Amino acid sequence: MNRAPIEVWLVEDDDDVRQTLLQTLHLSDMPARGFSRAEQALKALKPDAAVVFLSDVRMPGMDGLALLRQLQQQDPDLPVLLLTGHGDIPMAVEAMRLGAQDFFEKPYQPEQLLHSLRRAVDKRALILDNRQLRRRLAAGKQAELLLGNTPEMEQLRRQIDNIADTSASVLILGETGTGKELVARSLHQGSGRKGNFVAINCTALPESIFESEMFGAEPGAFTGVTKRRIGKVEHADNGTLFLDEIEGMPLHLQAKMLRVLQESILERLGGNQLVQVDARVVAATKIDLQEAGQAGLFRPDLYFRLNVVTLALPPLRQRRADIPLLFLHFVEQAQQHYNRDVPAPADALLQQLMCRDWPGNVRELRHAAEQYVLGVMPVEPAHNLMTLPEQLAALEQQLISDAMHKTQNQVALAAEQLGIPRKTLYDKLARYRAQSVSVSW
């Protein structure tokens, strides 16, 4: 999702302290803005602002606790951290009761303050992403359901935007549960086509009725057909035909589908009339169709005709940073569906979810969110969780991927940002490629 970076708004009346703190934040790569009075910050605050607050408590005019109360009224989800040189236990208790995320007494440990601020920034980012999502859902923007802020998902959305308004056939590759139909619907939505989006699972359709379901039938074509029947392909005229699990299409009918793609015509079962049809075809598979063609299980010419554009969907384990956002979205959906109100998932739970492999991908994560809302979410066995070395490797992979994406694949610049020698980064990239790990180049 597109939004501004989260900024720390520092409210501190002491000029020297304010400047020192702002310098600390900037050196820690945290965007920050300073205010000498709480009233100034409130006046500048806009709805859904991409900010978190760090405020002194004892200030002239509106003090930190009064600022906290006002911010809670305007936006209860806005993280606020408080500083004081005169703190005591009752004040800290009152601050936390009012909704402060954290409370620090001067002199404080900079590392602890920065750690707490980063948590606040992450929390605010998730909240704002969820709000954007709700608005887009209300507006019916299906394409925006392709959630995620990782480079892989940003690249996928760019690819969809680039080809959606063309008539090019698209082949979507991805494991079960990665959202292949969602991508197909996004392509249809962006195509400008006024016809139907028609989805069919080629594996689920019995072979005995496949031809009539796909291409239609004329009266008398077989027993029970007394009137003309329009097939799925024709029903998608001026729209999009989505062929899920295309590898399940019977081999003897693949030639007929190839003709539809090449000549935009079809013949109904039992008929002689050629029917013009303009359907944009999007196919999806979880197997290597080229290998299937070499094994005689899929027509190579149909594969190449489908494979004008290929979109590869990353499995969830290769974009773990998107898991908290997805889970929170699914929890919200489940609360509405089941009419349940549950506490927001704890940070510890979200961290645990990021450590799972999710073989069922986004679909499995959605089920877990439903179980959480219903109170039946099972505790993950320890042997299914990533070990510490595996977690560190996953984090390293994500950091490298982010750096390569931000520097537009300039290895020297990425190495400088990561603080490692260029040769070390080359070695790590080579290792990830050898392991077939998705790293943005």
Side-chain angles (χ1 to χ4, degrees), residues 13 27 39 44 70 73 99 129 179 186 192 219-220 224 256 284 336 374 385 406 423 425:
D13 61 305
L27 289 174
E39 294 85 352
Q70 187 65 37
Q73 290 179 7
D129 284 344
S186 298
K256 200 164 185 177
Q336 295 176 2
L374 295 173
L385 298 178
K406 290 176 182 176
K423 182 181 183 304
L425 181 55

Side-chain angles (χ1 to χ4, degrees), residues 286-419:
K286 59 179 180 291
I287 71 168
D288 188 326
L289 290 182
Q290 200 164 16
E291 287 186 1
Q294 293 170 356
L297 302 176
F298 198 84
R299 289 184 64 108
D301 49 2
L302 178 57
Y303 164 71
F304 289 116
R305 188 62 185 80
L306 289 170
N307 192 29
V308 176
V309 177
T310 298
L311 297 178
L313 307 192
L316 197 54
R317 63 183 175 275
Q318 288 183 7
R319 56 184 189 106
R320 296 180 187 274
D322 288 332
I323 289 175
L325 173 62
L326 287 164
F327 188 74
L328 291 173
H329 164 59
F330 293 142
V331 165
E332 184 169 327
Q333 278 192 331
Q335 287 185 106
Q336 295 176 2
H337 180 73
Y338 295 112
N339 194 26
R340 292 282 184 90
D341 189 14
V342 299
D347 289 346
L349 174 60
L350 296 177
Q351 289 295 325
Q352 185 189 70
L353 296 178
M354 291 176 69
C355 294
R356 299 186 189 180
D357 281 340
W358 301 107
N361 293 293
V362 178
R363 184 179 300 151
E364 184 183 359
L365 184 65
R366 181 194 294 272
H367 291 166
E370 292 178 345
Q371 292 174 331
Y372 173 80
V373 170
L374 295 173
V376 294
M377 186 176 183
V379 176
E380 184 72 8
H383 63 270
N384 285 341
L385 298 178
M386 293 172 64
T387 63
L388 178 58
E390 289 171 337
Q391 293 182 51
L392 293 174
L395 176 60
E396 179 185 70
Q397 173 202 334
Q398 188 64 58
L399 292 173
I400 290 175
S401 180
D402 290 346
M404 293 293 289
H405 176 70
K406 290 176 182 176
T407 61
Q408 299 181 336
N409 303 324
Q410 299 180 60
V411 176
L413 187 55
E416 181 181 345
Q417 289 192 2
L418 291 166

Side-chain angles (χ1 to χ4, degrees), residues 211 215-216 256 259-260 265-275:
E211 185 173 7
F215 304 105
K256 200 164 185 177
R259 188 181 187 190
V260 171
I265 58 174
L266 61 80
E267 290 182 51
R268 301 186 189 99
L269 185 63
N272 296 314
Q273 182 181 357
L274 296 179
V275 179

